[in-house]
């Protein structure tokens, strides 16, 4: 690979939960800071990450999430995740962990991506299927289909699905 050509990272963001929003945004913003050319393709529930009304309200689902840690030394059984209020509690807990460690919020990471010229692509087909309108999404996102993303990804050095 030529020294003059920047490395490229292509990311597919397919999940819209809080814990699924962090990895693509952290990796994209970090790669951009390291002079990678980066694109994120937001598809299916990943559209929530760039949805104006939803991006600040992403949640962590404790039900059917076996990786969800317990509270202190107490291992909480999975079925507890189905109780009313547990999603709120799990979300609050994760946000407090991130804040305690100085991790940027999802909106802040998204802004870092925008400032770093990460290409944000919302999946047109998914928007059509899910009834998401262009006006529902942040202004900085482009709308395109699989071909749009593949055009970028075809010569990417790193490609990831998250």
């Amino acid at each position: 690979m030529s020294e003059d050509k920047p490395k490229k990272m292509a990311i597919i963001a397919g999940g819209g939960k809080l814990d699924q929003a962090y990895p693509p945004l952290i990796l994209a913003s970090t790669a951009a800071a390291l002079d990678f050319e980066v694109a994120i393709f937001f598809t299916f529930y990943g559209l929530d990450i760039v949805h104006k009304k939803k991006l600040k309200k992403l949640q962590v689902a404790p039900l059917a999430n076996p990786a969800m840690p317990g509270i202190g030394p107490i291992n909480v059984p999975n079925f507890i995740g189905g109780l009313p209020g547990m999603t709120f509690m799990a979300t609050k807990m994760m946000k407090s962990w991130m804040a305690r460690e100085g991790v940027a919020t999802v909106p802040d990471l998204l802004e870092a991506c925008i400032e770093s010229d990460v290409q944000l692509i919302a999946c047109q087909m998914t928007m059509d299927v899910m009834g998401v309108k262009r006006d529902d999404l942040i202004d900085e996102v482009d709308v395109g289909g699989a071909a749009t993303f593949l055009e970028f990804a075809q010569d990417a050095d790193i490609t990831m699905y998250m």
Side-chain angles (χ1 to χ4, degrees):
M1 183 151 114
S2 167
E3 298 260 342
D4 300 326
K5 185 179 172 190
K7 289 188 177 183
K8 289 176 76 172
M9 177 184 276
I11 301 171
I12 300 169
K17 295 184 295 188
L18 181 63
D19 53 333
Q20 294 173 314
Y22 275 102
L25 297 177
I26 290 171
L27 288 168
S29 59
T30 301
L34 295 171
D35 294 324
F36 277 66
E37 189 178 339
V38 185
I40 308 173
F41 186 65
F42 298 92
T43 188
F44 290 93
Y45 300 113
L47 284 175
D48 288 356
I49 300 169
V50 291
H51 192 287
K52 289 176 187 173
K53 293 182 180 174
K54 295 181 180 181
L55 76 94
K56 293 181 181 176
K57 298 177 183 178
L58 300 179
Q59 298 181 15
V60 176
L63 185 62
N65 187 352
M68 192 76 189
I71 301 167
I74 302 168
N75 227 354
V76 180
N78 192 37
F79 74 89
I80 298 291
L83 294 176
M86 290 306 291
T87 297
F88 171 80
M89 288 181 60
T91 301
K92 186 173 177 149
M93 189 167 62
M94 182 170 190
K95 285 183 177 182
S96 73
W97 294 337
M98 299 307 242
R100 181 186 69 218
E101 296 303 320
V103 177
T105 64
V106 167
D108 289 342
L109 286 168
L110 190 55
E111 186 59 36
C113 287
I114 292 164
E115 289 174 3
S116 301
D117 295 324
V118 171
Q119 185 179 2
L120 308 173
I121 307 166
C123 178
Q124 178 68 64
M125 183 219 54
T126 301
M127 290 172 64
D128 294 343
V129 168
M130 299 179 116
V132 176
K133 304 294 180 220
R134 174 65 187 95
D135 290 343
D136 296 333
L137 305 177
I138 62 172
D139 296 337
E140 296 84 0
V141 72
D142 297 319
V143 176
T148 302
F149 177 70
L150 290 173
E151 185 177 329
F152 177 89
Q154 70 184 343
D155 62 346
D157 299 288
I158 301 169
T159 305
M160 301 176 161
Y161 173 80
M162 305 183 151

